[in-house]
Amino acid sequence: MKDLLYQPKQTMNFVRLCENSPSSSFGIQHAEAFFFALCCTLSRAFDVPVYWPILLFYFIVLFVLTMKKRIQHMITHKYIPVTRSKPKVQPKNPHGKEFEK
């Protein structure tokens, strides 16, 4: 039975999780942001009416600003995400030169 249990060697060092590691600070920052957002949501100071066209304009501006780099990258590489027809592949002759039309 003792052979089935994992017994570390005496030469192995035990490394504990460092409190200053990026993963722990990442979790702490997200927890703080979550509780800050929850407090802002539940407080009456931020309970203001929103006119829907302004909200729509804000969404469009945010979308354009965040997608600007992606759209420029697609234009640079001539990537078309939506096409109406299947791209036509022109046959090549055995010598690697394209056929004349």
Side-chain angles (χ1 to χ4, degrees):
M1 184 70 175
K2 290 183 181 180
D3 296 337
L4 297 176
L5 298 174
Y6 174 73
Q7 297 177 353
K9 298 178 182 178
Q10 296 296 331
T11 59
M12 292 178 64
N13 294 331
F14 176 71
V15 179
R16 65 183 191 153
L17 179 65
C18 181
E19 293 178 4
N20 294 328
S21 68
S23 62
S24 64
S25 63
F26 179 78
I28 291 170
Q29 289 174 351
H30 274 62
E32 289 174 354
F34 173 78
F35 287 118
F36 177 74
L38 185 66
C39 292
C40 289
T41 302
L42 298 177
S43 68
R44 293 202 181 261
F46 297 104
D47 190 16
V48 294
V50 177
Y51 189 54
W52 71 267
I54 296 172
L55 189 63
L56 180 64
F57 178 72
Y58 177 69
F59 172 74
I60 291 171
V61 167
L62 279 181
F63 180 78
V64 168
L65 289 177
T66 55
M67 292 299 291
K68 183 178 178 181
K69 190 173 182 181
R70 293 287 109 207
I71 293 169
Q72 286 178 348
H73 182 267
M74 289 190 291
I75 291 170
T76 304
H77 295 283
K78 298 179 182 173
Y79 173 72
I80 303 170
V82 179
T83 58
R84 294 185 181 196
S85 64
K86 185 176 177 181
K88 297 175 183 173
V89 179
Q90 295 185 2
K92 294 182 178 181
N93 68 14
H95 302 294
K97 296 180 181 177
E98 294 185 10
F99 289 117
E100 297 286 329
K101 284 189 175 182

